[in-house]
Amino acid sequence: MNIADLSLAEASDQLASGTISSEALTSACLSRIEALPALNTFIHVAATTAMKEARASDTRRANKASLGPLDGIPIGLKDLFVTKDMPTTAGSKILADWQAPYDGTVVKRLREAGAVIVGKNNQDEFAMGSSNEHSAAGPCVNPWHKDRVPGGSSGGSAAAVAAGQVLGSLGTDTGGSIRQPASFCGIYGLRPTYGRVSRSGVVAFASSLDQVGPFGRSAKDIALLMNVIGGFDPLDSTSAQRDHPDPLLTLKNGVKGLRIGLPHEYFSAAIDPEVDQVVRKAVQALQEAGATVQSVSLPHTKHALSTYYILCMAEASSNLARYDGVRYGYRAEETELRKMYARSRFEGFGPEVIRRILLGTYVLCAGYREAYYERAQRVRTLIRRDFESAYEGIDILLSPVSPTVAFERGSKTNDPLAMYTADILTLSVNLAGIPGLSVPVGFSSEGLPIGLQLMGKWFDEARLLQTAQALEDVLQVHQQRPKLVA
Ligand code: GLN
């Protein structure tokens, strides 16, 4: 077995016992990146510094000064996390070659834990998309099938983990951008509760919805990464000031007595029958392991898509006003100031970002604000209350992550609404601010991964991971790796 195919937790154990070195592990991952350029998973690879960090980690271990379970583990970062030693482009031409003067909080925490930062992963421009096709760096490819998308917007981070180019990675999830690519690539992806992980030093898309989270190949991988990145940060005013319990302590507690709710709105006719079947089999496995299952209703689900897109576009139009050709990145050759702003933005942003800025500006303008933006805010409250009432009688909610398996590249790029609809099962989690975890539970007849979504109560990530672990123990789907062809 190639050591790049180990899970993060397994590699961590082997580093601790001295069976493998970080140098060997990092070099195995870098070889995978080099061997599979067609996947286009990275916008920037820091091979030399990664090898240097790996050797430093091995020296620490030899001196009995290991920094913990992540010491020496190769990690990828979505290109939305600012890094002081690598460019940060957010997948956009407008930030081409831009380099931040500092590391964001989670990057700092990873480095302090000894993680080896291998590079910056491909993504949809400013995290807007569901397929990683809207990237100035070109589309990213699903390691399970060369014609399929890896999902988005954190497509590169998910595909890189699935392909063994890193053992874990970080993404962001505003409407599904961690869970959906995790599902399409057959790995785990957690969108933590809003406020659980710091967003300081993360390029903003829609600030009331954005959250940082990890990708990994097992429930334990996610727990190990959360232990390092989670917890209060004074640099993020939305960061929650509360305990950050170690999910490893409860990981093996099983699901006996766990009350699971299946929201019937999430099992509609729009779900691909194969997806439905695989998810229901996983539900059965949980029942056999001692969980109880009941049907519940989240009645405002039908309004989630329109609510989400109004809010995220409004917030994006405001957040992206800062890219004016003066302070950051790309500037058009133009001497007249207003023209310079307009041309820099028009030439620097891609078509999806421009569409969202236009629509977002529209829903915020005088006369329409009340009809669109403010009404969407009120509907958001109703959606959140749906979850509050559902959780009165159950512990977690369960559904598919996506109505389909990974779709073909190009199949939705000319139809924005079809692309937006791909997020129908994930974005309510963001509107409510709750945690959501994507768990690999099976494959379609074509061999494409299928993910199951667990949705928890606010700050109840540990229970999601505990449930995922129970599924993992029975299904063993996490052991499967894609056949990688260059
Ligand atoms: N696909 C959704 C969108 O395009 C979600 C993106 C995200 O979570 N960053 O907005």
Side-chain angles (χ1 to χ4, degrees):
M1 183 196 191
N2 187 319
I3 55 175
D5 286 319
L6 293 170
S7 73
L8 186 155
E10 289 164 344
S12 175
D13 287 344
Q14 296 203 18
L15 285 169
S17 66
T19 346
I20 60 170
S21 68
S22 174
E23 184 171 10
L25 187 61
T26 305
S27 136
C29 287
L30 288 168
S31 306
R32 280 277 171 89
I33 297 174
E34 216 170 287
L36 300 162
L39 293 182
N40 201 17
T41 41
F42 280 84
I43 294 178
H44 182 86
V45 181
T48 316
T49 42
M51 287 308 293
K52 223 196 266 164
E53 287 169 19
R55 283 189 287 267
S57 163
D58 289 334
T59 309
R60 278 193 298 273
R61 286 207 191 261
N63 295 334
K64 308 245 173 296
S66 159
L67 297 170
L70 292 197
D71 201 344
I73 299 283
I75 297 285
L77 298 172
K78 186 178 188 176
D79 206 17
L80 212 53
F81 292 89
V82 305
T83 39
K84 64 171 184 238
D85 56 353
M86 296 174 219
T88 299
T89 70
S92 182
K93 180 178 164 191
I94 210 157
L95 283 179
D97 304 324
W98 178 70
Q99 189 149 329
Y102 68 105
D103 281 334
T105 297
V106 291
V107 177
K108 236 188 253 158
R109 288 184 182 176
L110 283 172
R111 289 195 202 273
E112 282 161 13
V116 173
I117 310 292
V118 171
K120 308 291 288 288
N121 293 122
N122 201 349
Q123 60 164 94
D124 283 300
E125 184 174 1
F126 285 101
M128 298 175 188
S130 312
S131 67
N132 206 151
E133 291 169 289
H134 307 301
S135 166
C140 175
V141 172
N142 190 317
W144 292 89
H145 194 300
K146 65 176 180 33
D147 300 327
R148 303 288 173 131
V149 302
S153 64
S154 315
S157 304
V161 170
Q165 298 176 324
V166 281
L167 298 196
S169 61
L170 296 190
T172 60
D173 189 314
T174 304
S177 282
I178 291 175
R179 289 159 290 154
Q180 185 250 25
S183 172
F184 282 9
C185 291
I187 59 168
Y188 290 77
L190 173 68
R191 179 220 129 88
T193 310
Y194 188 78
R196 174 65 95 192
V197 181
S198 169
R199 305 175 304 169
S200 174
V202 185
V203 175
F205 162 17
S207 305
S208 77
L209 301 154
D210 296 342
Q211 178 61 200
V212 169
F215 290 97
R217 294 199 191 118
S218 70
K220 190 172 177 189
D221 292 4
I222 300 291
L224 288 166
L225 286 161
M226 278 305 287
N227 275 346
V228 169
I229 63 169
F232 177 67
D233 175 19
L235 295 177
D236 176 354
S237 61
T238 62
S239 171
Q241 226 165 339
R242 53 184 294 151
D243 288 348
H244 183 55
D246 180 353
L248 290 171
L249 300 176
T250 45
L251 200 58
K252 291 281 189 183
N253 284 5
V255 291
K256 229 175 224 108
L258 181 80
R259 297 167 305 167
I260 299 174
L262 306 183
H264 69 79
E265 293 84 356
Y266 285 57
F267 287 86
S268 72
I271 309 297
D272 179 294
E274 277 191 320
V275 172
D276 187 80
Q277 213 179 359
V278 166
V279 169
R280 287 188 194 274
K281 249 205 206 134
V283 172
Q284 210 178 330
L286 287 170
Q287 268 175 308
E288 282 160 16
T292 62
V293 175
Q294 68 189 80
S295 178
V296 297
S297 176
L298 300 168
H300 294 94
T301 300
K302 54 181 178 296
H303 302 300
L305 192 74
S306 42
T307 304
Y308 168 80
Y309 275 97
I310 289 171
L311 295 176
C312 84
M313 290 180 187
E315 294 184 28
S317 74
S318 156
N319 271 328
L320 272 59
R322 74 189 74 178
Y323 305 104
D324 56 5
V326 177
R327 282 171 287 183
Y328 310 93
Y330 178 76
R331 178 182 304 172
E333 295 280 339
E334 183 69 67
T335 43
E336 208 264 304
L337 185 65
R338 287 183 72 88
K339 275 196 198 146
M340 190 280 289
Y341 286 151
R343 269 192 51 204
S344 298
R345 286 169 67 79
F346 195 68
E347 292 165 16
F349 289 133
E352 179 61 24
V353 175
I354 291 178
R355 173 168 27 246
R356 295 198 190 200
I357 293 174
L358 284 171
L359 288 167
T361 307
Y362 178 82
V363 301
L364 286 177
C365 51
Y368 293 112
R369 193 189 157 96
E370 158 69 16
Y372 294 106
Y373 180 71
E374 285 173 15
R375 189 181 294 186
Q377 291 285 29
R378 287 196 289 274
V379 179
R380 180 180 190 171
T381 305
L382 297 176
I383 290 169
R384 185 189 163 98
R385 285 196 194 137
D386 278 357
F387 283 93
E388 281 166 358
S389 352
Y391 286 134
E392 277 167 20
I394 52 142
D395 302 308
I396 61 171
L397 290 159
L398 185 156
S399 75
V401 176
S402 166
T404 65
V405 293
F407 45 87
E408 266 178 46
R409 205 163 42 256
S411 63
K412 297 189 202 283
T413 30
N414 294 324
D415 184 353
L417 192 59
M419 189 73 90
Y420 299 166
T421 313
D423 306 323
I424 193 102
L425 302 174
T426 47
L427 36 83
S428 292
V429 159
N430 303 70
L431 290 167
I434 56 175
L437 175 66
S438 180
V439 185
V441 287
F443 294 89
S444 70
S445 47
E446 291 171 298
L448 292 165
I450 293 173
L452 169 154
Q453 174 171 236
L454 299 173
M455 297 170 270
K457 294 181 183 168
W458 290 264
F459 297 99
D460 206 10
E461 285 82 1
R463 202 190 309 246
L464 298 185
L465 291 167
Q466 181 184 331
T467 312
Q469 181 67 51
L471 277 170
E472 186 175 306
D473 290 343
V474 181
L475 303 174
Q476 293 294 318
V477 170
H478 71 295
Q479 303 282 15
Q480 310 271 346
R481 301 280 181 266
K483 275 191 210 72
L484 298 167
V485 275

